[in-house]
Amino acid sequence: MKFEAIAIENIPLIHNGDDLPSIIYENIELQDRDIVIIASTIVAKAEGDTFKLEDIKPGETALDISARNGKDARFIQAVLTRSREVLIKIPFMLVTTLTGHTCVNAGIDESNIENGFLLYPPENPDFSASKIGNGLERLSGKRLSVIVTDTNGRAFKIGQTGVAIGIYKIKPIKSWVGEKDLFGKTLEITEEAVADELAGAANLLMGEGADGIPVVIIRGLDYYCESRTFIRETYFPKERDIIKKGLLCLHK
Ligand code: GDP
Ligand code: MN
Ligand code: MN
C-alpha cells in the first residue's frame, strides 16, 4: 500500500481576484479522485480577505482585552470580528469562528503577507473549497476532492499541524465503529479524522515559511464522496464539547 503527496511548483504570489482553479490546473496534470489540498492563505489572498492593521478601529472590548493580554488592540478587534465565542483571552485569544472552527486568533495571520497587512481566513471555507473544486472539475473533467487547510496548534501538545477548515466532496471522518480489531472484537468508538490527517500530510510539503508551496495533491487514497460534504460534520455539537464547556466555565 502507498499514496503520493505531490507539491505543485511554480505557483505565483497570489493576489485579490486571481483565478485559483486555472492557476492550479496549469501547473499539474490532475487524475481522477485526486485530493487537492490548498493552504487557506492563498484562498484568502485570492478572495481579497486582506486588511491593513492601521485601518482597524478597536472597540471597547478589544481595548479592554488588549490592556489585559498586551496584544495590539486593532489585531484583537480583527479577531473579535471573526469570532462568535471567545474561550481564552490571556495569554492568547482562543476563539470559535463564525463558521464554528475553534483556533487561536480566529486564524488571522500576519505571516506570508506584506508588512502591516492581516490575512483573514476565508469567511466560508466550505464554499471556497467547493468553488475551487467545481472550477477544477470543469477544467480537468476529473472527479476531485478539495481540502482547504490552515496551520493550528493543539491543546495539550507542543507543535502545530495542518488541519482541514473547508472541504469539498470528501468524507472528513472515517468511522471504524462496527469494524473488527485484530482479535475479532468490535470497535465501538474510533472515528478517524481523515481530512485533518490529509491536511497534516500535505503540510509536510507546504512548510510554514518561504517554501512557496500552497497546493499539494494527495493521490492514491480513496476518500472521494459524490455529494457535497461540510466541515461542520467534524465539530462537536455543543452538548458533547466537554473541553469547551470547561473553558467557558472559567469565565464565570
Ligand atoms: P496557512 O497554513 O494557510 O496559514 O499558510 P502558510 O502561511 O503556512 O503558507 C503555506 C505555504 O504556502 C508555504 O509554503 C508558503 O510559502 C506558501 N504561500 C503562502 N502564500 C503564497 C503565495 O501567494 N504564493 C505561493 N506560491 N506560495 C504561498
Ligand atoms: Mn494560517
Ligand atoms: Mn501554515
Side-chain angles (χ1 to χ4, degrees), residues 40-41 107 109 150-151:
S40 55
T41 295
D109 268 339
D150 198 3
T151 306

Short mmCIF file of all heavy atoms in Angstrom, two decimals, residues 40-41 107 109 150-151, ligand 2:
data_model
loop_
_atom_site.label_atom_id
_atom_site.label_comp_id
_atom_site.label_asym_id
_atom_site.label_seq_id
_atom_site.Cartn_x
_atom_site.Cartn_y
_atom_site.Cartn_z
N SER A 40 -5.09 27.83 3.22
CA SER A 40 -6.10 28.90 3.30
C SER A 40 -5.49 30.26 3.00
O SER A 40 -6.18 31.16 2.52
CB SER A 40 -6.76 28.91 4.68
OG SER A 40 -5.78 29.00 5.69
N THR A 41 -4.19 30.40 3.25
CA THR A 41 -3.51 31.67 2.97
C THR A 41 -3.77 32.15 1.54
O THR A 41 -4.12 33.31 1.33
CB THR A 41 -1.99 31.51 3.19
OG1 THR A 41 -1.77 31.26 4.56
CG2 THR A 41 -1.24 32.75 2.79
N GLY A 107 -7.57 32.38 13.35
CA GLY A 107 -6.80 32.03 12.15
C GLY A 107 -6.25 33.23 11.40
O GLY A 107 -5.74 33.08 10.28
N ASP A 109 -3.69 35.78 10.21
CA ASP A 109 -2.24 35.66 10.08
C ASP A 109 -1.59 36.98 9.75
O ASP A 109 -2.16 37.80 9.05
CB ASP A 109 -1.90 34.73 8.89
CG ASP A 109 -1.74 33.29 9.33
OD1 ASP A 109 -1.48 33.04 10.52
OD2 ASP A 109 -1.87 32.40 8.46
N ASP A 150 -5.45 25.05 7.23
CA ASP A 150 -4.70 26.08 7.95
C ASP A 150 -3.76 25.35 8.91
O ASP A 150 -3.89 24.14 9.10
CB ASP A 150 -5.65 27.01 8.73
CG ASP A 150 -4.97 28.32 9.11
OD1 ASP A 150 -3.80 28.54 8.74
OD2 ASP A 150 -5.62 29.14 9.79
N THR A 151 -2.81 26.08 9.46
CA THR A 151 -1.93 25.51 10.47
C THR A 151 -2.46 25.91 11.83
O THR A 151 -2.66 27.10 12.09
CB THR A 151 -0.49 26.04 10.29
OG1 THR A 151 -0.08 25.81 8.95
CG2 THR A 151 0.45 25.36 11.24
MN MN B 2 -2.65 30.32 8.85
#
